[in-house]
Amino acid sequence: MNIQMPPPGGNGAAPEGRKRPRRTPKGRQIDLRALEEVQALLTNRERRRDLLIEYLHLIQDHYGHISAAHMAALAHAMKLSQTEVYEVATFYAHFDVVKDGPAPPPVTVRVCENLSCAMAGAEKLLAELPGKLGPGVRIVRAPCMGACDHAPVVAVGHVQTSHATVDTVAAAAAQHPHAHAFKTRNDLETYRANGGYRLLASCLEEKRTRDDLIKVVSDAGLRGLGGAGFPTGRKWGLVRAEKGPRLMAVNGDEGEVGTFKDRYYLGLDPHRFIEGMLIAAFVVEAREVYFYLRDEYPELRLMLLDELAKVEAAGLMPHTRVHLRRGAGAYICGEESAMLESIEGKRGLPRHRPPYVAQVGLFGRPTLVQNVETLYWIRDIIERGAEWVTSQGRRERKGFRSFSVSGRVRKPGVVVAPAGVTARELIEEFCGGMTDGETFKAYLPGGASGGILPASLADEPLDFGTLDKYGCFVGSHAVVILSEKDDMKAVALNLMKFFEDESCGQCTPCRVGTEKAAKLMEQGPWNEGLLNELSQLMRDASICGLGQAAPNPLQSVYKFFPDELKKPLGKW
């Protein structure tokens, strides 16, 4: 059956029920001036998807923020959807995205609010700085900056002020400083004069076999020192067993509260780390290495760019190519699969397992992921032999460990101690004792994730697996010492708020659980039944270790400090 449609009106108007055609495409239009500005920043750089975060940094560094017009222009230049660029830019804390409204003030002051800095007076700084700095400076709370031994820490832009006071921060804000490359005392020339890169050369000349290297690190008991503690030799073997091409990624995103040992080692002896990295790349035959460094270490990033360029110019890395990638303020990217997502230019969302990253990792290739400190010790272990490592240790533990110690001790800092050392020994033998007038009350054996233990358990060995019976672990070996001045409920709340802020939001148990737990803990009195239910849910159903470990400090208070539950919430 034919249906005849009435002819359109003859007066030039759109037919009834129809809309006029759009003069422009849907969505935000490209601002030609913004496009010219973005193109000027990108110059002749490749327009690859995995470089999106690097290019967002270019805009942020140049303009002090990222406007909607610049995001649209960047999306156009890289042939990406505007949604892709927007979701990545808004995921990371160090990108100041301005969708509408005025740009932020030219100076941003970030005050670390996490545990060691809170204990050292961060809240007082947050209260007093606005009056001192005035309305032209933006003051924001920030998570751990990896300088807990210099608490309280404040960053003006990205340049940190250690042992900060209102006056020192005001002076820094007036200058609006920019990061300059850290001058390491052990540059390439000095390192090579002391035997550096000879081991790497012997590997590249095939005087040392890959199987031999795997055996040495296995016999030495070297484990991943970023927190998981997976045996390094075994990991090398697993990656080598996968079909090539293979890649390697280095995790320099130590965002765990209380952790700063990687920063220490990179500044102390960067080429010892670089040589270890190049040896590991040789073992697994990785043609590309991606080194992901947290954005809170700008001076180290600039130094490493210089030193890596010198290594390449000296012809010391013919077997691989190293790419230094810059984080953007996301603790979750310390989780290996989230880090790989970030290297690929995406939001740092942890992946489901299996497959594991050793099988399907960066860009879908088998990938060796190693922590900075793990690679730092490679040269020493191979040159000195496994016996050098295994001859050290206490209480039937073998080897040595690096501890980031902060809090109520006289001499906070990185401590290299025998494996199996106790918290009490760390305080008394390595850190000069408690701060004057302080009484040892409790400690965090493994940063925010590792739980809280009382001083009565300070004679337990601090090593992988030794604290499982208490619901705690050493993780990245970040030890924070607490005293009678510190309220355990306030400590647990500070840590829960950290997890709430740093949750990537991908899974509901972590995203909602940490937020709800923090509110219940802050309001008080603590509802034990509900908080225990939330804790169990987060542990059982969260995708990654952030949500699974978030309840540990809370549960530690119930287990070891029940008397404090009856008291009002304390403050620093």
Side-chain angles (χ1 to χ4, degrees):
M1 180 173 61
N2 294 326
I3 301 178
Q4 297 293 323
M5 298 296 293
N11 58 2
E16 186 178 352
R18 296 187 187 181
K19 295 182 179 179
R20 291 183 180 274
R22 295 180 60 89
R23 294 184 178 181
T24 59
K26 290 184 177 180
R28 187 179 294 272
Q29 303 307 300
I30 305 302
D31 183 297
L32 294 181
R33 180 177 178 180
L35 182 60
E36 290 177 359
E37 292 169 343
V38 168
Q39 298 282 23
L41 290 175
L42 298 185
T43 60
N44 60 349
R45 294 178 173 89
E46 294 181 80
R47 273 44 168 186
R48 297 203 321 262
R49 176 67 172 80
D50 61 292
L51 294 171
L52 174 58
I53 293 173
E54 296 294 309
Y55 296 162
L56 287 169
H57 274 302
L58 288 177
I59 298 172
Q60 174 75 39
D61 291 345
H62 188 82
Y63 293 101
H65 67 284
I66 301 174
S67 69
H70 283 139
M71 280 190 290
L74 182 61
H76 178 80
M78 297 187 69
K79 295 181 171 57
L80 298 173
S81 70
Q82 294 186 29
T83 300
E84 287 180 276
V85 176
Y86 180 78
E87 70 177 10
V88 171
T90 53
F91 181 85
Y92 295 94
H94 287 185
F95 294 141
D96 294 315
V97 175
V98 179
K99 188 175 181 181
D100 297 297
V107 180
T108 295
V109 172
R110 291 180 169 87
V111 182
C112 177
E113 64 173 346
N114 289 133
L115 191 56
S116 293
C117 288
M119 293 160 61
E123 292 299 325
K124 187 172 183 290
L125 286 172
L126 284 162
E128 295 178 359
L129 280 173
K132 183 74 173 181
L133 301 181
V137 177
R138 181 176 57 159
I139 301 167
V140 298
R141 294 175 177 269
C144 186
M145 299 178 186
C148 314
D149 51 337
H150 297 114
V153 179
V154 173
V156 178
H158 285 306
V159 180
Q160 294 181 6
T161 298
S162 300
H163 306 294
T165 66
V166 171
D167 291 336
T168 58
V169 174
Q175 297 173 358
H176 196 188
H178 297 280
H180 297 283
F182 173 80
K183 298 298 182 182
T184 178
R185 290 176 293 178
N186 208 7
D187 59 11
L188 177 59
E189 183 179 354
T190 305
Y191 183 74
R192 295 190 76 178
N194 291 300
Y197 291 108
R198 290 180 188 173
L199 176 59
L200 174 64
S202 69
C203 294
L204 297 178
E205 293 166 5
E206 299 187 357
K207 295 177 181 178
R208 304 293 296 261
T209 69
R210 293 176 172 85
D211 290 338
D212 173 47
L213 300 178
I214 291 175
K215 185 178 187 306
V216 173
V217 298
S218 297
D219 290 346
L222 180 63
R223 304 175 69 162
L225 298 171
F230 193 86
T232 301
R234 184 181 172 195
K235 181 182 285 189
W236 287 3
L238 289 172
V239 175
R240 278 197 68 209
E242 296 294 326
K243 184 179 179 181
R246 307 178 197 95
L247 300 175
M248 179 176 170
V250 179
N251 193 336
D253 194 58
E254 55 172 359
E256 182 71 36
V257 171
T259 308
F260 47 89
K261 59 186 176 65
D262 291 351
R263 180 182 206 161
Y264 171 79
Y265 285 123
L266 287 172
L268 177 71
D269 200 350
H271 287 280
R272 194 168 299 269
F273 153 74
I274 294 171
E275 185 169 12
M277 174 177 66
L278 296 177
I279 290 170
F282 163 79
V283 171
V284 300
E285 299 177 89
R287 298 293 298 175
E288 305 276 340
V289 177
Y290 291 81
F291 178 17
Y292 189 89
L293 183 68
R294 68 182 308 204
D295 199 32
E296 287 81 355
Y297 300 166
E299 72 291 344
L300 291 183
R301 183 177 64 85
L302 294 173
M303 179 270 289
L304 286 165
L305 284 170
D306 290 342
E307 297 302 321
L308 284 168
K310 294 176 185 176
V311 172
E312 185 174 13
L316 296 172
M317 55 169 80
H319 61 301
T320 192
R321 183 183 178 191
V322 179
H323 309 267
L324 184 58
R325 290 294 177 86
R326 182 178 173 185
Y331 165 70
I332 190 62
C333 290
E335 196 276 339
E336 62 177 6
S337 66
M339 177 189 68
L340 299 185
E341 290 287 300
S342 190
I343 292 173
E344 292 179 1
K346 305 171 188 174
R347 294 175 293 166
L349 303 181
R351 300 175 181 175
H352 292 273
R353 296 175 179 84
Y356 297 95
V357 298
Q359 302 164 311
V360 182
L362 191 59
F363 307 119
R365 300 295 186 185
T367 304
L368 173 67
V369 178
Q370 297 276 223
N371 162 260
V372 166
E373 194 203 349
T374 306
L375 297 171
Y376 181 87
W377 294 115
I378 293 295
R379 176 192 165 190
D380 288 291
I381 290 172
I382 295 174
E383 287 186 341
R384 300 189 186 193
E387 296 78 10
W388 171 68
V389 179
T390 57
S391 63
Q392 304 178 57
R394 298 179 183 178
R395 298 174 183 85
E396 301 181 353
R397 315 299 293 188
K398 294 182 179 181
F400 55 87
R401 301 285 183 265
S402 300
F403 295 89
S404 306
V405 186
S406 63
R408 311 287 189 185
V409 290
R410 289 181 182 175
K411 296 189 297 183
V414 173
V415 169
V416 180
V421 72
T422 69
R424 198 179 308 279
E425 289 168 342
L426 283 178
I427 295 170
E428 296 174 357
E429 295 181 33
F430 298 92
C431 297
M434 297 291 293
T435 305
D436 291 342
E438 307 277 0
T439 301
F440 181 31
K441 176 181 179 180
Y443 66 104
L444 276 63
S449 304
I452 310 170
L453 289 172
S456 60
L457 294 176
D459 296 313
E460 293 288 328
L462 297 175
D463 207 2
F464 297 110
T466 58
L467 304 177
D468 292 353
K469 56 189 174 183
Y470 303 114
C472 298
F473 54 81
V474 293
S476 61
H477 294 75
V479 178
V480 183
I481 305 299
L482 309 172
S483 78
E484 291 294 339
K485 284 185 177 180
D486 303 310
D487 174 69
M488 294 302 105
K489 290 170 65 179
V491 170
L493 176 60
N494 181 282
L495 300 175
M496 186 61 76
K497 285 185 173 181
F498 169 77
F499 290 124
E500 177 192 2
D501 291 340
E502 295 296 336
S503 173
C504 73
Q506 180 179 193
C507 67
T508 304
C510 176
R511 182 184 68 249
V512 177
T514 52
E515 179 185 10
K516 183 66 173 178
K519 286 182 180 178
L520 290 171
M521 293 165 71
E522 190 165 26
Q523 292 169 357
W526 286 15
N527 185 326
E528 183 173 2
L530 186 52
L531 286 171
N532 283 338
E533 186 178 348
L534 276 172
S535 297
Q536 193 64 46
L537 177 65
M538 284 190 277
R539 284 175 171 165
D540 292 345
S542 295
I543 290 174
C544 79
L546 190 155
Q548 294 163 11
N552 287 346
L554 162 65
Q555 292 300 307
S556 294
V557 176
Y558 276 120
K559 188 180 297 183
F560 301 114
F561 307 96
D563 292 343
E564 300 208 12
L565 295 170
K566 304 172 186 177
K567 302 176 184 178
L569 183 65
K571 295 182 180 180
W572 285 289

